[in-house]
Amino acid sequence: MASRQRRTVLWLGGAGLTLCAGLLVISGTPTVWLGRQVTDTSVLYVPTRAEAEALLNQATGFARAHDYVGLRHTVAQDAGVCQKVLDLADVSHAAPSATPPAVEDAIGQPDKGTVQGAEALHIRGTRADGTTYTADFSAVRAPDGQVRSQNAVYWFSSLAKPA
């Protein structure tokens, strides 16, 4: 009999991390992801660079259009955390510019122990006020197979630093 990996996942929204506990089980045993049964674990693989860049393009499109509902619900891994970061960005008067950030590098981070794998794009950009920043735009695969970002508010997050 073939074996599969079982994952129980806990999302730590504020930290933007997904933790997994990997166990080897007999084939046919479903994976548990936040209380949902996922029988096809192939949806859990790390996004490609092309998928991460496509997600960043979506994020910049929503940001340029000031469609933060779309950003939260289409791009963000956790819509609630995304809203909190958007609120902080608003209070700080940090807004995205019309020019998308440049991708300087990409680093694939495979599943490692208890940490879910991600594709991290190292980006450099300018905010609407002219200040520059660097950040890592991290893309992960959601249980439904969609690619989502751990930091959809790429121009203002704990991962964004002055350039």
Side-chain angles (χ1 to χ4, degrees), residues 2-16:
S3 60
R4 299 181 97 159
Q5 186 172 3
R6 178 180 176 162
R7 294 171 185 241
T8 303
V9 177
L10 167 68
W11 297 83
L12 296 178

Side-chain angles (χ1 to χ4, degrees), residues 22-161:
L23 301 170
L24 206 53
V25 295
I26 303 300
S27 131
T29 303
T31 296
V32 178
W33 190 294
L34 285 178
R36 292 179 51 204
Q37 297 294 316
V38 179
T39 55
D40 181 7
T41 56
S42 67
V43 300
L44 302 176
Y45 63 92
V46 176
T48 65
R49 179 176 179 160
E51 288 174 311
E53 288 181 355
L55 187 65
L56 177 61
N57 288 337
Q58 269 191 305
T60 58
F62 284 125
R64 282 195 310 259
H66 304 287
D67 181 359
Y68 301 119
V69 172
L71 183 71
R72 285 193 322 264
H73 294 289
T74 306
V75 176
Q77 179 182 33
D78 184 315
V81 170
C82 183
Q83 182 59 58
K84 289 177 184 174
V85 176
L86 284 166
D87 292 343
L88 289 171
D90 186 49
V91 168
S92 299
H93 306 288
S97 72
T99 306
V103 176
E104 295 187 329
D105 196 10
I107 301 170
Q109 302 164 335
D111 287 352
K112 201 181 259 187
T114 60
V115 178
Q116 180 187 12
E119 180 71 17
L121 302 177
H122 185 69
I123 59 174
R124 179 179 299 275
T126 304
R127 295 182 188 94
D129 66 1
T131 59
T132 58
Y133 64 90
T134 61
D136 287 332
F137 182 82
S138 186
V140 296
R141 183 133 350 246
D144 63 2
Q146 297 296 311
V147 177
R148 298 285 184 251
S149 178
Q150 294 174 326
N151 55 318
V153 187
Y154 58 87
W155 67 93
F156 184 85
S157 73
S158 62
L159 302 175
K161 302 169 189 70

